[in-house]
Amino acid sequence: MIDQTNEVSHILISSEELDAITTRLAAEISRDYRGKNLLLLGILKGSVLFMADLMRKLTIPAEIDFMKVSSYGSGTVSSGNLKIYLDILRKNPEECDILIVEDIIDSGRTLSMLTRHLRERGIESVRTVTLLDKPSRREVSFTPDYVGREIPDYFVVGYGLDYDEKYRTLPYIGIPDFAFRK
Ligand code: IMP
Ligand code: MG
């Protein structure tokens, strides 16, 4: 078996810090969504570990669902450039207060298109929590409602995030050695 930790020797966010981040976010979300119909909408695949840790720390009821989407095209930002591979399964999602759970925001295209798409489908209550945010990379304006941590412009992997489908299983966020040149 290949030891992937050899290829990701720089740890940016440790397991302990990830634990503290999800604890803080779960407390904020539990406070803000008390008495509402919270549906956590995880964006596959990157958000799975973040979602799993976040949901078990909530102190309010919540449903979960998933979408798999990607943005394509670099021209105008419209929901027409959103490719949906897996759609929400929940019937009548407009009955819910949807909180999109994302791993990382980079250009901002995916979430800008996805939130617009959901609102066009009649879902009024759509907000976003992202584990990581790279604000310096933004190409379209998008501001998440909850942020785990802002990071500089590094390519990061682990805790759900991949490079070419590798490294998702690492329990921390790290910078792969090939990307750690700055
Ligand atoms: P955006 O539409 O440019 O904001 O793209 C966000 C998506 O790009 C994320 O959901 C990730 O799948 C991917 N991504 C962006 N930056 C990274 C990174 O540093 N590591 C792994 N995936 C990334
Ligand atoms: Mg992703």
Side-chain angles (χ1 to χ4, degrees), residues 9-117:
S9 44
H10 186 87
I11 296 179
L12 187 65
I13 311 180
S14 68
S15 301
E16 292 74 21
E17 193 183 340
L18 288 166
D19 187 56
I21 288 170
T22 53
T23 297
R24 170 178 61 79
L25 290 173
E28 291 175 15
I29 292 163
S30 297
R31 180 196 63 208
D32 295 349
Y33 282 85
R34 192 164 298 281
K36 303 197 172 183
N37 299 315
L38 175 59
L39 184 147
L40 299 174
L41 181 61
I43 306 307
L44 297 173
K45 305 174 196 173
S47 71
V48 286
L49 294 196
F50 175 44
M51 175 109 156
D53 283 340
L54 188 65
M55 62 195 268
R56 81 184 80 190
K57 292 177 176 178
L58 294 176
T59 56
I60 56 167
E63 295 185 36
I64 67 165
D65 211 331
F66 296 94
M67 285 184 79
K68 183 158 173 53
V69 299
S70 75
S71 59
Y72 62 92
S74 53
T76 57
V77 175
S78 74
S79 51
N81 290 345
L82 185 73
K83 174 88 179 145
I84 299 178
Y85 299 93
L86 174 71
D87 208 346
I88 302 187
L89 295 175
R90 169 83 158 72
K91 291 205 172 56
N92 306 321
E94 68 281 354
E95 294 169 352
C96 302
D97 298 288
I98 291 189
L99 183 60
I100 298 170
V101 181
E102 178 63 301
D103 51 359
I104 187 165
I105 304 177
D106 188 68
S107 71
R109 288 183 193 284
T110 307
L111 284 184
S112 144
M113 290 184 207
L114 179 59
T115 52
R116 179 180 308 199
H117 169 82

Side-chain angles (χ1 to χ4, degrees), residues 43-44 46 71 102-111 132 134 137-139 151 154-157 161-163 168:
I43 306 307
L44 297 173
S71 59
E102 178 63 301
D103 51 359
I104 187 165
I105 304 177
D106 188 68
S107 71
R109 288 183 193 284
T110 307
L111 284 184
L132 303 175
K134 291 198 261 191
R137 295 267 303 168
R138 219 50 116 247
E139 291 169 28
I151 60 168
Y154 283 119
F155 189 84
V156 293
V157 297
L161 288 92
D162 73 307
Y163 170 72
R168 291 192 196 274

